[in-house]
Amino acid sequence: MSYASQIIQILKDKNPSQNEFHQAVEEVLTSLEPLLSREKKYQDSAILERMVVPERQIIFRVTWVDDKGKIQVNYGYRIEFNSAIGPYKGGLRFHPNVNVGVIKFLGFEQVLKNSLTTLSMGGGKGGSDFDPKGKSEMEVMRFCQSFMNELYRHIGAHTDVPAGDIGVGGREIGYLFGQYKKLTNRFDGVLTGKGLNWGGSLVRPEATGYGCVYFAQEMLKDRNESLEGKICLVSGAGNVAIYTIEKLHQIGAIPVTASDSKGMIYDKEGIDVALLKEIKEVRRASLEEYAKAKPSAKYTKASDYESGCNGVWSIPCFAAFPSATQNELSAKDAKILLQNGCKCVSEGANMPSTNEAIELFLNAKICYGPGKAANAGGVAVSGLEMAQNASMHPWSFEEVDQKLLGIMKNIYQNASSTAKDFGDPTNLVMGANIAGFRKVADSMIDQGVV
Ligand code: GLU
């Protein structure tokens, strides 16, 4: 059994039923095989054994009182995965399906993603099984305050810097920051994704979506292709999906879909971003409202479609941008996309494709940008927000956007040249994993057995 396979087996035995975590580790470790057999130092230093175990895992109770006066209890998590190249950095996810396995998969991915950005950020992730859907503004605020009542003692601008993820946007970061300040009496750059008036960075809300499109453009440029005039599918309707759609319009592509937990919309005229923002960001309503307001859009209810992100992946397209959540794109969906002539998949979400779907994309040799490379723009601009906070000097929109573009180009070049070096030029999964891993692993070796 290879070194990587042994570690995967031990991990599964020691962490039963953490399926998403097993999946993320298996994908990465398997793709590292060519590096591990070329360089024995990683095995000699027990790097894989160390990298799959988080440096610290914090699990806490979050107690709060709902609008009816009833006491509610949720699980809170912060998993500080790896600090070899910088303070722990990564988002908080509030979603009912959050558990230890989900946070560990996200934290593990974050370590390699942050390494690829070239900025000095380690990896961590946190969150709660709290469901913000249907909660009042005051319930969300009380929950965030209670969550921070425990979290504040573990985080710091040079220790651990959380941000947003699914269910955590500007509103939640505001309540979390307010409570952090109240408890510590410090105005620190301890969270990113802050409001512009109080230390946030321009382009942070747009960064993941814009970056994901920049990454797709880089992949396609290498094959003398472009997104201009092309039909694109986007899943999800949160921050990542919205700004992916916005950027696709800006570069002359035609994004025709969006989806939420209840269904999906297919608007062949192209998704109206202003309307989508109004429904999702202001009214926090279902996508059904979009179809009611725009006659060119067809609404499909989730229950009418058994898989494939409520039917998004069944529409013929040139490029696909999975931007909803983990495992939203199965092997069945991948087959349909490929049969319909899809040439490019750029992942805005974390681990949206199953390992079987990834295999199909790699075998078909289409442009496939794995999440940890393609969606790194979000955390990269978080890193730029930390730099602006430290220097007390805010940058302009153009300045941040240019830096984001430069970072995404660099991630592509790094992943692509590493893939070439290891003999599989179109395999950006291997390229990104090896490139991200090497920097962290070499830093761990430099810093001794700690
Ligand atoms: N949650 C985002 C991600 O998955 C952003 C994290 C951050 O900005 O720290 O990378």
Side-chain angles (χ1 to χ4, degrees):
M1 219 198 254
S2 72
Y3 174 39
S5 311
Q6 282 172 43
I7 303 303
I8 294 167
Q9 197 47 56
I10 296 168
L11 177 108
K12 287 183 178 171
D13 292 344
K14 284 201 178 279
N15 303 271
S17 69
Q18 296 181 358
N19 298 342
E20 291 86 355
F21 183 44
H22 301 169
Q23 182 185 336
V25 171
E26 195 153 14
E27 185 244 281
V28 171
L29 266 49
T30 313
S31 75
L32 295 177
E33 299 269 17
L35 172 72
L36 299 170
S37 49
R38 191 192 280 185
E39 297 204 44
K40 284 280 169 261
K41 65 175 176 179
Y42 299 117
Q43 184 163 3
D44 294 343
S45 299
I47 288 297
L48 294 188
E49 289 87 330
R50 293 199 255 166
M51 264 185 95
V52 299
V53 180
E55 290 176 14
R56 192 176 297 108
Q57 307 188 48
I58 303 149
I59 304 183
F60 51 99
R61 188 179 68 202
V62 189
T63 323
W64 56 284
V65 179
D66 70 18
D67 287 348
K68 296 192 185 90
K70 194 165 176 274
I71 297 166
Q72 299 285 346
V73 182
N74 286 102
Y75 284 78
Y77 304 93
R78 186 68 186 168
I79 299 198
E80 299 179 332
F81 226 104
N82 192 301
S83 62
I85 62 167
Y88 309 108
K89 179 83 198 88
L92 298 170
R93 176 176 292 191
F94 292 170
H95 190 279
N97 76 10
V98 161
N99 57 40
V100 191
V102 167
I103 300 296
K104 278 169 83 176
F105 115 65
L106 290 163
F108 181 73
E109 288 276 301
Q110 200 81 45
V111 173
L112 301 173
K113 182 195 312 196
N114 294 3
S115 166
L116 287 169
T117 66
T118 70
L119 304 174
S120 173
M121 298 184 290
K125 203 89 187 189
S128 174
D129 60 352
F130 172 76
D131 187 357
K133 242 182 243 151
K135 302 290 187 302
S136 73
E137 191 75 21
M138 287 302 111
E139 287 177 327
V140 170
M141 183 174 79
R142 285 198 295 276
F143 174 81
C144 289
Q145 291 174 338
S146 181
F147 188 86
M148 187 53 82
N149 284 346
E150 174 60 36
L151 188 70
Y152 85 96
R153 70 189 88 239
H154 307 290
I155 60 177
H158 299 282
T159 311
D160 184 356
V161 184
D165 196 86
I166 294 173
V168 178
R171 173 181 69 167
E172 290 75 16
I173 293 294
Y175 296 145
L176 290 163
F177 186 73
Q179 188 69 357
Y180 173 85
K181 201 158 50 67
K182 179 83 181 169
L183 292 165
T184 60
N185 198 27
R186 291 175 68 93
F187 195 110
D188 287 329
V190 70
L191 292 162
T192 60
K194 298 186 290 298
L196 281 180
N197 290 329
W198 41 280
S201 173
L202 285 161
V203 198
R204 179 61 192 87
E206 294 87 352
T208 313
Y210 280 19
C212 192
V213 176
Y214 294 153
F215 194 86
Q217 285 181 303
E218 288 309 301
M219 290 194 288
L220 288 164
K221 219 185 320 173
D222 249 2
R223 301 189 186 192
N224 296 318
E225 289 266 21
S226 91
L227 290 167
E228 219 185 302
K230 307 278 172 46
I231 302 292
C232 297
L233 304 181
V234 180
S235 60
N239 160 277
V240 180
I242 288 173
Y243 291 102
T244 297
I245 291 170
E246 183 170 283
K247 181 53 75 180
L248 286 170
H249 276 301
Q250 285 174 14
I251 63 162
I254 311 161
V256 293
T257 57
S259 67
D260 62 15
S261 60
K262 297 201 183 73
M264 77 103 164
I265 44 165
Y266 169 42
D267 186 346
K268 51 187 179 317
E269 285 181 0
I271 299 288
D272 178 335
V273 194
L275 179 60
L276 184 63
K277 281 186 188 172
E278 157 72 22
I279 289 164
K280 283 294 165 188
E281 291 180 341
V282 183
R283 285 156 51 189
R284 295 181 192 269
S286 143
L287 280 176
E288 201 167 1
E289 299 298 310
Y290 181 100
K292 282 185 194 152
K294 196 144 181 284
S296 58
K298 182 173 172 290
Y299 180 72
T300 309
K301 258 202 239 146
S303 52
D304 296 344
Y305 203 89
E306 78 279 16
S307 81
C309 221
N310 308 337
V312 168
W313 311 127
S314 65
I315 292 162
C317 71
F318 174 80
F321 295 82
S323 312
T325 193
Q326 68 268 14
N327 292 328
E328 57 165 299
L329 200 160
S330 66
K332 184 176 156 201
D333 303 318
K335 277 184 203 142
I336 297 173
L337 281 169
L338 292 169
Q339 272 160 18
N340 283 339
C342 175
K343 293 281 183 295
C344 172
V345 176
S346 192
E347 295 183 339
N350 290 312
M351 205 171 74
S353 306
T354 63
N355 286 346
E356 296 73 33
I358 296 174
E359 197 63 34
L360 290 167
F361 293 144
L362 292 179
N363 288 339
K365 297 196 184 302
I366 62 164
C367 293
Y368 171 66
K372 67 176 74 63
N375 75 33
V379 73
V381 174
S382 276
L384 302 180
E385 182 171 326
M386 288 161 75
Q388 292 168 81
N389 291 162
S391 67
M392 298 188 79
H393 178 68
W395 302 334
S396 70
F397 191 97
E398 290 66 33
E399 232 173 318
V400 183
D401 194 30
Q402 277 311 303
K403 283 189 170 43
L404 169 63
L405 178 62
I407 289 170
M408 297 316 296
K409 285 185 173 188
N410 190 282
I411 295 174
Y412 173 70
Q413 287 308 332
N414 192 3
S416 162
S417 63
T418 307
K420 276 190 198 108
D421 180 23
F422 284 88
D424 195 355
T426 55
N427 187 343
L428 297 180
V429 173
M430 179 183 74
N433 286 342
I434 291 182
F437 170 84
R438 262 205 293 221
K439 184 177 171 189
V440 178
D442 291 347
S443 307
M444 287 170 74
I445 293 172
D446 290 346
Q447 291 169 26
V449 182
V450 285

